[in-house]
Amino acid sequence: MTLTMPWQPNALADLSECLDLITADGTVPGGVIAHGTFDSEPSYLTSGIVAPECGDARPSPDTVYDVASLTKVLATWLLVGTSLMGGGFTLDTPVRELLTGIPAEAPGGRVTVSQILAHTSGLRADTRLDQYRNRTEPLAELIFSEDLIAEPGAGHRYINRGFILLGLALAHYRCRRLDELAAELWQQLGMTSTTYGPVPRSAQVAPTEQRLSGGPRLWGMPHDDNAALLGGVAGHAGVFTTPADLAAFATHLLSSYSSDGPLGRWLTASMQPQAEIEPGLDRGLAWILADDDQVAYHHGFTGTSLYLSPATGRYLAICTNAVYQHQDNRTRLAPLRALALKAITDEP
């Protein structure tokens, strides 16, 4: 059983100050940080406004954000884990076996479920689904037929198209749309505001980028172009959720970990390092691992992050619409994300 540990006294104050600073300097219109432990009610830090389009509406636990690549853990990773529990395939199963009509000799025919989750598949790194316009072959077949850029399992390279492929495979294998499969699980976890886009515009939905000068911002539509080309439903991006639902997701995972439940065992398995990203950071199954592989986290390009510390029972989620100004998020959000990682790893 996990013994929950309190936060380091200054950690949350530092996070709040940093969120206020990046709001004040225009990096983000505003944002919410959810934090807590699996055996307590979540708490929230907020700053700024949702966006100028939303008037004076302030971000809240119920503000809806496009979480971009957090889709990989909120939907695809979660669905792989629950599917594995039902048997029928394993992490070492070639993904083509979850589909039909893909020959074993196809360039991507050897790529396994675990290799896609660990970003070691060797598939092409550029996503660019627009290159397939006017092609009549199924998308999975097109992806599998392309030459690999590395031997499967040889090393880490972040690849969105692997998760797109895995999303297609899960839907085919389970005989249901990916968004339907995910929605069923989210309901079971109490994530009642989590959905694939598009979602209706409102003051509680954070707009993202203005693609054309003078044009409207993306608002309720997936920011990721490739998810949009797939109708908003994809294995790598397209999910909209709230800080409150991210807290519910983290709470369920950490609670299951503490009680050795099925989702907790899946989290444990996923926190076994599969490939080195850089010194001090490993890739597990979908998650980035830090602090000697004791902390799992993932980022979303739009300005979101989720951190889990199973050993201490703590979690932390960041929700911002940092792409509102079309800025370099990795650079501008780096201080906030660094403080978040420090907060969740610090001993009290």
Side-chain angles (χ1 to χ4, degrees):
M1 175 178 291
T2 304
L3 295 177
T4 55
M5 299 175 63
W7 297 88
Q8 201 275 342
N10 296 325
L12 298 177
D14 290 344
L15 277 169
S16 183
E17 180 181 9
C18 187
L19 181 59
D20 286 341
L21 286 172
I22 65 171
T23 298
D25 72 11
T27 296
V28 298
V32 183
I33 297 175
H35 61 91
T37 60
F38 74 86
D39 58 355
S40 65
E41 291 296 314
S43 297
Y44 302 95
L45 307 171
T46 65
S47 186
I49 59 173
V50 175
E53 288 85 348
C54 303
D56 59 0
R58 292 182 58 80
S60 77
D62 299 317
T63 301
V64 176
Y65 289 90
D66 176 347
V67 294
S69 281
L70 286 190
T71 298
K72 293 179 174 70
V73 292
L74 291 178
T76 308
W77 170 81
L78 185 63
L79 285 167
V80 169
T82 55
S83 298
L84 289 171
M85 296 168 199
F89 72 91
T90 71
L91 287 169
D92 294 326
T93 298
V95 178
R96 65 174 177 80
E97 294 184 11
L98 307 183
L99 296 153
T100 55
I102 308 296
E105 61 271 18
R110 292 178 292 127
V111 173
T112 67
V113 173
S114 65
Q115 288 166 348
I116 285 181
L117 289 174
H119 294 280
T120 60
S121 65
L123 294 168
R124 278 176 47 187
D126 61 312
T127 309
R128 290 293 309 280
L129 298 188
D130 61 309
Q131 67 188 302
Y132 303 130
R133 291 183 188 276
N134 302 318
R135 296 288 293 270
T136 59
E137 304 95 319
L139 178 57
E141 182 179 325
L142 290 168
I143 294 175
F144 272 119
S145 67
E146 293 177 339
D147 290 337
L148 301 178
I149 60 173
E151 183 70 13
H156 182 271
R157 184 178 285 104
Y158 191 81
I159 299 176
N160 276 320
R161 66 200 290 112
F163 275 75
I164 293 172
L165 190 58
L166 196 49
L168 297 171
L170 285 165
H172 186 273
Y173 178 77
R174 298 279 295 272
C175 301
R176 293 178 65 190
R177 286 172 52 97
L178 185 67
D179 54 339
E180 294 174 351
L181 292 169
E184 184 176 77
L185 278 179
W186 294 330
Q187 286 294 319
Q188 293 172 11
L189 298 180
M191 300 167 64
T192 56
S193 298
T194 304
T195 184
Y196 271 100
V199 299
R201 294 182 177 185
S202 78
Q204 282 291 76
V205 176
T208 55
E209 188 179 339
Q210 184 183 39
R211 293 284 171 82
L212 297 174
S213 178
R217 291 186 180 276
L218 295 174
W219 192 0
M221 298 294 293
H223 177 267
D224 184 274
D225 289 337
N226 296 288
L229 285 172
L230 291 171
V233 180
H236 74 299
V239 167
F240 289 74
T241 192
T242 65
D245 273 13
L246 286 178
F249 178 71
T251 296
H252 278 279
L253 290 181
L254 296 174
S255 179
S256 184
Y257 175 91
S258 177
S259 62
D260 195 32
L263 283 180
R265 291 194 291 273
W266 175 227
L267 179 60
T268 298
S270 300
M271 291 181 66
Q272 301 304 307
Q274 305 294 313
E276 184 182 65
I277 300 173
E278 61 184 57
L281 290 182
D282 294 315
R283 177 73 66 175
L285 297 176
W287 299 90
I288 301 171
L289 308 179
D291 194 33
D292 294 327
D293 304 324
Q294 296 300 301
V295 167
Y297 68 94
H298 207 290
H299 298 314
F301 182 79
T302 46
T304 58
S305 299
L306 178 62
Y307 302 80
L308 305 174
S309 175
T312 64
R314 299 189 303 215
Y315 66 85
L316 191 151
I318 297 172
C319 287
T320 75
N321 49 339
V323 290
Y324 186 88
Q325 300 293 1
H326 196 189
Q327 297 170 337
D328 182 349
N329 298 331
R330 282 179 292 185
T331 299
R332 292 182 175 268
L333 289 180
L336 183 65
R337 286 171 166 169
L339 282 173
L341 184 58
K342 182 177 185 298
I344 204 163
T345 57
D346 273 354
E347 297 291 335

